[in-house]
Amino acid sequence: AIDCGAIGAFHMLAQKTGLIEAIDEKVEVLKNHAPYHESDHILNLAYNTLTGGTCLDDIELRRNDATYMDALGAERIPDPTTAGDFTRRFGEADVTALMEATNSVRPKLWKRGLSKRERREAVIDVDGTVAPTTGECKEGMEYSYTGVWGYHPLLVSLANTQEALYLVNRPGNRPSHEGAVEWMDRAAALTLESFASVCFRGDTDFSLTGEFDGWTDRGIKFVFGMDARSILVE
């Protein structure tokens, strides 16, 4: 018996979509690969969360579960100490490389899983979300406009499929739109590999008027809120 029966399906999905190969190709953290590759560590951490783990130590429970190991077809997986060492080496550039590795397999899945009608327009949602933390000395945490300590990550997602394309962490005191243009443009380039057109969607913070002409020239549509300032109303 196993209390996370879908783990085999998750792992099969990673194998058949080419995600494992994409991670090993784009993410370079380890100097040698004996016995683990970057994908082994990353999937080990992801599967720990998917199966209910809340900390690295929970990996120890899984690596001693014969049924779990059979579901992955693995003889061994990284232990908590090794996983912790990997996360400490994992820098900001590696996070970006991992997101790009994941995104590199999406276009062929969209073409395979969505009809031409469903791929007429990619609706890309962009927003900031306050993420509180109980930590007291975490790097980058700040006091947010909602009155809590934490972070203010930028989330760029594809509304058509509810997939998070990019998640960019920022201190809690940063404005929602800060740095958004780069990631919105990346998302547009990614989705245009499979979709006929792109439409950005967001609240008033993302009415970045300096970008409107450029997006229009590229054929990108957008729907943003606008602050009802007196001059605009008039």
Side-chain angles (χ1 to χ4, degrees):
I2 189 171
D3 64 350
C4 51
I7 194 62
F10 280 128
H11 190 53
M12 187 179 295
L13 179 67
Q15 291 173 319
K16 292 193 173 184
T17 58
L19 176 61
I20 293 175
E21 291 81 2
I23 291 174
D24 288 335
E25 178 184 345
K26 295 180 180 296
V27 182
E28 299 180 2
V29 177
L30 306 173
K31 293 183 178 180
N32 58 69
H33 301 96
Y36 301 116
H37 288 73
E38 282 81 359
S39 60
D40 295 317
H41 284 284
I42 291 168
L43 292 178
N44 186 40
L45 293 165
Y47 293 164
N48 182 48
T49 302
L50 286 169
T51 55
T54 59
C55 61
L56 293 180
D57 284 342
D58 289 334
I59 294 174
E60 189 67 24
L61 301 175
R62 295 302 180 189
R63 68 193 299 267
N64 289 302
D65 184 337
T67 313
Y68 177 82
M69 299 296 287
D70 285 344
L72 295 182
E75 294 183 5
R76 61 177 179 263
I77 59 176
D79 61 33
T81 301
T82 305
D85 177 67
F86 180 79
T87 59
R88 284 188 289 272
R89 300 185 190 189
F90 208 82
E92 183 176 343
D94 300 312
V95 174
T96 300
L98 176 57
M99 289 193 292
E100 296 294 9
T102 305
N103 285 337
S104 70
V105 305
R106 296 188 197 273
K108 66 179 180 181
L109 297 181
W110 293 331
K111 290 179 181 178
R112 185 187 306 170
L114 301 176
S115 65
K116 285 188 176 181
R117 180 176 177 274
E118 291 173 313
R119 289 188 282 114
R120 286 180 183 173
E121 182 177 77
V123 178
I124 297 175
D125 283 337
V126 56
D127 200 3
T129 178
V130 175
T133 177
T134 55
E136 295 181 358
C137 299
K138 291 183 178 180
E139 182 180 357
M141 61 181 288
E142 290 289 351
Y143 199 62
S144 73
Y145 73 94
T146 60
V148 298
W149 282 98
Y151 301 92
H152 194 187
L154 172 73
L155 175 62
V156 181
S157 60
L158 179 62
N160 308 58
T161 59
Q162 300 184 27
E163 294 173 82
L165 304 179
Y166 293 102
L167 183 66
V168 185
N169 202 16
R170 304 170 301 186
N173 62 353
R174 307 316 302 159
S176 289
H177 66 273
E178 185 173 85
V181 173
E182 174 190 352
W183 302 100
M184 293 167 69
D185 286 343
R186 288 194 189 208
L190 173 67
T191 52
L192 283 173
E193 294 182 36
S194 304
F195 290 80
S197 63
V198 169
C199 178
F200 291 142
R201 190 167 64 178
D203 61 23
T204 57
D205 286 331
F206 297 92
S207 295
L208 305 171
T209 54
E211 305 296 328
F212 286 178
D213 288 342
W215 286 333
T216 300
D217 291 342
R218 292 165 54 194
I220 295 175
K221 294 181 286 186
F222 43 86
V223 180
F224 298 121
M226 294 293 289
D227 289 323
R229 295 190 175 93
S230 58
I231 296 176
L232 178 63
V233 173
E234 184 180 349

